[in-house]
Amino acid sequence: MTEITAHHGLFKDTDLHVDDTGGPGRPVVLIHGWPLSGASWSQQVPALAEAGYRVVTYDRRGFGRSDKTRTGYDYDTLTEDLHALLEALDLNDVTLVGFSMGGGEVARYFTKYGTERLRSVVFAAAVPPYMTQGEDNPDGPLTKEQAAQMEAALKADEDSFYDGFITDFFSVDGVLKVSEAQRQEALALTEQADKKAALKAMEAFGTTDFRDDLTKVSVPALVLHGDGDGTVPFEGSGARTHAAIPGSRLHVIAGGPHGINVSHAEEFNRVLLEFLAS
């Protein structure tokens, strides 16, 4: 299957590109980060499939090979897309793995749909609980000034912005932690991102408050984060998510940038597989 219809609109359906290894194994759904696509999980899919899991990746609306819709980049709609995928493929006993922006769909899923289809969840370098720093969220890792600068830079020059963003994505203290070929592979995925979608999705992951959603997480949860993440800093995100979910497991990858699923793929996969097997 290459696509599912996530939403039936008045004038047009919204189709999402899906890659599914199939088979009888327990399903693991991998939800990608901004501004990439399901192809960003290339280091995880073979390892999970070899271990016997049914692995599903998909491209978020507006990104990759999915439809570039004018609207629908709020987390309620994006989570509806995720639920539509689970329903269309009739997936149950699912582990959701949300990377970066994808952690938001994982958190919001509990509020909108509960736990009926879920077995466990993983927050990998994920944006919850709440990125925007403010009076009621002093530990938020993203200032309003930083968000405004990102928006302005993306509007001004997409190519230049993405080149710098992807470099930072894979760097710790200015040192690139992946090969140049791997950086270029990720950079190529940004070329499939619709500019309007990228701007709206950036606003969504920066300004959505998931603190109440995290209180509803009642299945086994793993928080996986790099201690050198400069894009979604651990102290303001992963550490707080771990604290907010009683009984959650935490694994911090030493020297890990934001893109730990590529830079530290072997450790990432080992920890993920251990969690899935538990």
Side-chain angles (χ1 to χ4, degrees):
M1 177 178 291
T2 58
E3 66 179 29
I4 62 132
T5 300
H7 176 72
H8 291 286
L10 182 60
F11 299 109
K12 188 178 187 298
D13 292 343
T14 299
D15 292 326
L16 303 180
H17 178 89
V18 177
D19 288 300
D20 181 1
T21 62
R26 210 168 71 228
V28 179
V29 177
L30 305 174
I31 309 165
H32 68 83
W34 182 97
L36 305 176
S37 74
S40 62
W41 291 107
S42 62
Q43 298 293 310
Q44 282 66 56
V45 173
L48 291 168
E50 185 177 346
Y53 295 98
R54 176 181 178 180
V55 190
V56 177
T57 64
Y58 70 101
D59 298 349
R60 185 180 286 107
R61 65 166 65 207
F63 298 86
R65 295 147 290 183
S66 289
D67 282 351
K68 310 301 191 283
T69 59
R70 294 180 61 189
T71 60
Y73 299 102
D74 59 284
Y75 268 101
D76 281 350
T77 303
L78 296 174
T79 306
E80 288 173 10
D81 289 350
L82 169 60
H83 185 62
L85 180 148
L86 299 187
E87 287 192 318
L89 299 181
D90 193 24
L91 301 180
N92 293 286
D93 203 27
V94 177
T95 297
L96 299 178
V97 182
F99 176 83
S100 192
M101 181 178 182
E105 281 106 328
V106 173
R108 184 55 51 88
Y109 194 90
F110 288 90
T111 298
K112 289 184 66 67
Y113 301 107
T115 62
E116 183 179 356
R117 290 184 179 269
L118 303 186
R119 177 189 181 93
S120 58
V121 293
V122 179
F123 295 92
V127 297
Y130 188 13
M131 288 287 286
T132 299
Q133 189 178 109
E135 289 185 7
D136 70 332
N137 188 42
D139 296 323
L142 181 67
T143 68
K144 293 179 181 178
E145 292 75 20
Q146 289 171 325
Q149 289 171 2
M150 286 180 63
E151 180 182 4
L154 177 54
K155 285 180 176 179
D157 188 334
E158 285 180 272
D159 292 341
S160 176
F161 172 82
Y162 285 137
D163 187 64
F165 180 82
I166 294 299
T167 298
D168 293 341
F169 192 97
F170 290 124
S171 296
V172 176
D173 297 328
V175 178
L176 193 64
K177 298 296 182 178
V178 299
S179 68
E180 177 58 19
Q182 289 172 317
R183 192 187 78 90
Q184 289 293 336
E185 287 175 7
L187 192 58
L189 299 182
T190 69
E191 296 175 1
Q192 297 178 311
D194 176 76
K195 187 173 184 177
K196 177 176 285 189
L199 287 165
K200 289 292 187 182
M202 177 195 290
E203 179 183 1
F205 76 68
T207 62
T208 303
D209 184 350
F210 300 104
R211 290 176 292 187
D212 185 59
D213 300 293
L214 291 180
T215 67
K216 299 177 174 64
V217 177
S218 56
V219 300
L222 168 67
V223 177
L224 189 52
H225 220 106
D227 65 3
D229 190 334
T231 304
V232 182
F234 170 68
E235 293 78 8
S237 51
R240 296 170 65 202
T241 293
H242 172 55
I245 305 174
S248 61
R249 301 186 189 185
L250 173 65
H251 183 89
V252 179
I253 294 180
H258 188 54
I260 48 174
N261 64 313
V262 177
S263 67
H264 292 69
E266 183 177 346
E267 182 175 355
F268 186 102
N269 294 349
R270 173 178 58 79
V271 174
L272 176 57
L273 286 167
E274 288 173 354
F275 175 71
L276 290 170
S278 63

